[in-house]
Amino acid sequence: QVAVRIRPFLSFESGNKNCLTIPPGGEECIQLKYESGDKSPAQFTFDSAFDIDSTQDDVFECCVMPLISACLNGHNATVLAYGQTGSGKTHTI
């Protein structure tokens, strides 16, 4: 499964605009809004998408808890956080 989480802004980023949104009812996709209004938002689909207000528990229950259950039943599992420096990997894990 592939999940995406929009992390909160860091203190030094407080004046920036958020260009990512999760459309209403779109728990599995995000939209990238462009600064210029002439392009429609790009939409990307994932198995799960978490907005800026999501908690660690939300991510854990959706993405990690099923893996723990599978491990206890004898299966292998891996949780991988991938992204550029400062993208929120440590915040999520």
Side-chain angles (χ1 to χ4, degrees):
Q1 288 193 2
V2 177
V4 63
R5 182 178 190 187
I6 303 171
R7 72 160 170 80
F9 285 118
L10 301 174
S11 58
F12 67 88
E13 300 172 318
S14 61
N16 293 338
K17 295 180 189 174
N18 189 357
C19 64
L20 296 173
T21 59
I22 298 176
E27 294 86 21
E28 298 173 346
C29 64
I30 62 170
Q31 288 183 338
L32 173 60
K33 293 182 282 184
Y34 296 99
E35 282 295 316
S36 60
D38 58 344
K39 288 178 93 174
S40 59
Q43 187 162 305
F44 303 92
T45 304
F46 301 89
D47 294 306
S48 302
F50 299 93
D51 67 8
I52 201 165
D53 297 319
S54 63
T55 65
Q56 300 297 84
D57 286 338
D58 295 337
V59 176
F60 180 81
E61 287 177 21
C62 178
C63 300
V64 180
M65 193 63 148
L67 297 177
I68 292 173
S69 297
C71 284
L72 294 174
N73 288 323
H75 300 278
N76 294 326
T78 300
V79 175
L80 174 70
Y82 177 81
Q84 70 184 46
T85 300
S87 63
K89 299 177 298 293
T90 301
H91 175 79
T92 297
I93 294 294

Short mmCIF file of all heavy atoms in Angstrom, two decimals, residues 4 6-8 13 16 22 27 38 47 54-56 59-60 65 70-72 76 80 83-84 92:
data_model
loop_
_atom_site.label_atom_id
_atom_site.label_comp_id
_atom_site.label_asym_id
_atom_site.label_seq_id
_atom_site.Cartn_x
_atom_site.Cartn_y
_atom_site.Cartn_z
N VAL A 4 0.00 8.74 1.68
CA VAL A 4 0.64 10.05 1.66
C VAL A 4 0.07 10.87 2.81
O VAL A 4 -1.10 10.75 3.16
CB VAL A 4 0.42 10.77 0.30
CG1 VAL A 4 -1.04 11.05 0.05
CG2 VAL A 4 1.25 12.04 0.21
N ILE A 6 0.11 14.89 4.37
CA ILE A 6 0.49 16.30 4.23
C ILE A 6 0.91 16.76 5.61
O ILE A 6 0.10 16.80 6.53
CB ILE A 6 -0.70 17.13 3.71
CG1 ILE A 6 -1.19 16.57 2.38
CG2 ILE A 6 -0.30 18.59 3.58
CD1 ILE A 6 -2.48 17.19 1.88
N ARG A 7 2.17 17.07 5.76
CA ARG A 7 2.67 17.45 7.08
C ARG A 7 2.37 18.91 7.38
O ARG A 7 2.25 19.73 6.48
CB ARG A 7 4.17 17.19 7.19
CG ARG A 7 5.03 18.15 6.39
CD ARG A 7 6.46 18.13 6.94
NE ARG A 7 7.38 18.84 6.08
CZ ARG A 7 7.53 20.16 6.06
NH1 ARG A 7 6.79 20.92 6.83
NH2 ARG A 7 8.40 20.73 5.26
N PRO A 8 2.28 19.25 8.67
CA PRO A 8 2.09 20.65 9.04
C PRO A 8 3.33 21.47 8.68
O PRO A 8 4.44 20.94 8.59
CB PRO A 8 1.90 20.61 10.56
CG PRO A 8 1.72 19.19 10.92
CD PRO A 8 2.28 18.36 9.81
N GLU A 13 8.30 28.07 8.14
CA GLU A 13 7.50 28.01 6.92
C GLU A 13 6.12 28.65 7.11
O GLU A 13 5.27 28.58 6.23
CB GLU A 13 7.28 26.55 6.50
CG GLU A 13 8.54 25.79 6.21
CD GLU A 13 8.28 24.31 5.99
OE1 GLU A 13 7.47 23.72 6.75
OE2 GLU A 13 8.89 23.75 5.07
N ASN A 16 3.99 30.46 4.33
CA ASN A 16 3.76 29.79 3.04
C ASN A 16 2.30 29.39 2.88
O ASN A 16 1.56 29.24 3.84
CB ASN A 16 4.64 28.55 2.92
CG ASN A 16 6.11 28.90 2.84
OD1 ASN A 16 6.47 30.00 2.48
ND2 ASN A 16 6.94 27.95 3.18
N ILE A 22 -6.91 17.60 0.19
CA ILE A 22 -7.63 16.35 0.00
C ILE A 22 -9.07 16.75 -0.26
O ILE A 22 -9.72 17.34 0.60
CB ILE A 22 -7.52 15.43 1.22
CG1 ILE A 22 -6.05 15.06 1.45
CG2 ILE A 22 -8.37 14.19 1.04
CD1 ILE A 22 -5.81 14.23 2.69
N GLU A 27 -10.70 10.55 0.39
CA GLU A 27 -9.72 10.08 1.37
C GLU A 27 -8.54 9.36 0.73
O GLU A 27 -7.59 9.02 1.40
CB GLU A 27 -10.38 9.15 2.38
CG GLU A 27 -11.40 9.80 3.27
CD GLU A 27 -12.78 9.85 2.65
OE1 GLU A 27 -13.07 9.06 1.74
OE2 GLU A 27 -13.57 10.70 3.08
N ASP A 38 -4.85 29.43 -14.30
CA ASP A 38 -5.22 28.95 -15.62
C ASP A 38 -5.09 27.44 -15.78
O ASP A 38 -5.52 26.88 -16.78
CB ASP A 38 -4.42 29.67 -16.72
CG ASP A 38 -2.91 29.51 -16.54
OD1 ASP A 38 -2.48 29.13 -15.44
OD2 ASP A 38 -2.18 29.80 -17.50
N ASP A 47 -3.43 4.74 -1.83
CA ASP A 47 -4.28 3.85 -1.06
C ASP A 47 -4.91 4.59 0.12
O ASP A 47 -6.02 4.30 0.52
CB ASP A 47 -3.49 2.64 -0.56
CG ASP A 47 -3.03 1.76 -1.71
OD1 ASP A 47 -3.89 1.35 -2.51
OD2 ASP A 47 -1.82 1.49 -1.81
N SER A 54 -4.26 15.37 10.42
CA SER A 54 -4.26 13.96 10.83
C SER A 54 -3.29 13.74 11.99
O SER A 54 -2.31 14.47 12.14
CB SER A 54 -3.91 13.05 9.66
OG SER A 54 -2.60 13.32 9.21
N THR A 55 -3.57 12.74 12.79
CA THR A 55 -2.73 12.45 13.95
C THR A 55 -1.85 11.23 13.68
O THR A 55 -2.09 10.48 12.73
CB THR A 55 -3.59 12.18 15.19
OG1 THR A 55 -4.35 10.97 14.96
CG2 THR A 55 -4.54 13.34 15.49
N GLN A 56 -0.88 11.03 14.55
CA GLN A 56 -0.04 9.85 14.47
C GLN A 56 -0.91 8.59 14.60
O GLN A 56 -0.68 7.60 13.92
CB GLN A 56 1.02 9.85 15.58
CG GLN A 56 1.97 11.03 15.54
CD GLN A 56 2.81 11.05 14.30
OE1 GLN A 56 2.37 11.54 13.26
NE2 GLN A 56 4.00 10.52 14.37
N VAL A 59 -2.61 7.62 11.27
CA VAL A 59 -1.69 6.96 10.34
C VAL A 59 -1.37 5.55 10.83
O VAL A 59 -1.39 4.59 10.06
CB VAL A 59 -0.39 7.78 10.17
CG1 VAL A 59 0.61 7.05 9.29
CG2 VAL A 59 -0.70 9.16 9.61
N PHE A 60 -1.12 5.40 12.13
CA PHE A 60 -0.79 4.11 12.70
C PHE A 60 -1.92 3.10 12.50
O PHE A 60 -1.69 1.98 12.04
CB PHE A 60 -0.46 4.25 14.19
CG PHE A 60 -0.11 2.95 14.86
CD1 PHE A 60 1.16 2.42 14.74
CD2 PHE A 60 -1.05 2.27 15.59
CE1 PHE A 60 1.48 1.22 15.34
CE2 PHE A 60 -0.75 1.06 16.19
CZ PHE A 60 0.52 0.54 16.07
N MET A 65 -1.06 -0.81 11.86
CA MET A 65 -1.75 -1.83 12.66
C MET A 65 -2.03 -3.11 11.87
O MET A 65 -1.79 -4.21 12.38
CB MET A 65 -3.03 -1.25 13.26
CG MET A 65 -3.61 -2.12 14.31
SD MET A 65 -2.45 -2.23 15.68
CE MET A 65 -3.57 -2.41 17.01
N ALA A 70 -0.51 -8.89 10.72
CA ALA A 70 0.04 -9.85 9.76
C ALA A 70 1.33 -10.48 10.29
O ALA A 70 1.55 -11.68 10.13
CB ALA A 70 0.29 -9.17 8.42
N CYS A 71 2.18 -9.68 10.93
CA CYS A 71 3.42 -10.21 11.50
C CYS A 71 3.13 -11.25 12.58
O CYS A 71 3.81 -12.27 12.66
CB CYS A 71 4.26 -9.08 12.09
SG CYS A 71 5.09 -8.08 10.86
N LEU A 72 2.13 -10.98 13.39
CA LEU A 72 1.77 -11.93 14.44
C LEU A 72 1.20 -13.23 13.87
O LEU A 72 1.19 -14.25 14.54
CB LEU A 72 0.77 -11.30 15.41
CG LEU A 72 1.33 -10.14 16.24
CD1 LEU A 72 0.23 -9.49 17.05
CD2 LEU A 72 2.47 -10.60 17.13
N ASN A 76 5.85 -11.41 6.81
CA ASN A 76 6.84 -10.34 6.90
C ASN A 76 6.18 -9.02 6.55
O ASN A 76 5.25 -8.97 5.75
CB ASN A 76 8.00 -10.60 5.92
CG ASN A 76 8.79 -11.82 6.30
OD1 ASN A 76 8.94 -12.14 7.47
ND2 ASN A 76 9.28 -12.52 5.30
N LEU A 80 8.08 1.81 5.27
CA LEU A 80 9.11 2.62 4.64
C LEU A 80 8.61 4.04 4.50
O LEU A 80 7.53 4.26 3.94
CB LEU A 80 9.47 2.06 3.26
CG LEU A 80 10.45 2.87 2.42
CD1 LEU A 80 11.83 2.82 3.02
CD2 LEU A 80 10.46 2.36 1.00
N GLY A 83 10.91 10.20 0.99
CA GLY A 83 10.66 11.58 0.60
C GLY A 83 11.90 12.42 0.74
O GLY A 83 12.91 12.00 1.31
N GLN A 84 11.84 13.62 0.21
CA GLN A 84 13.00 14.51 0.25
C GLN A 84 13.25 14.99 1.68
O GLN A 84 12.39 14.86 2.55
CB GLN A 84 12.80 15.69 -0.68
CG GLN A 84 11.74 16.67 -0.21
CD GLN A 84 11.52 17.77 -1.22
OE1 GLN A 84 11.39 17.51 -2.40
NE2 GLN A 84 11.48 18.99 -0.75
N THR A 92 6.14 11.66 10.63
CA THR A 92 5.15 10.60 10.43
C THR A 92 5.51 9.32 11.16
O THR A 92 4.68 8.70 11.80
CB THR A 92 4.96 10.32 8.92
OG1 THR A 92 4.45 11.50 8.31
CG2 THR A 92 4.00 9.17 8.69
#
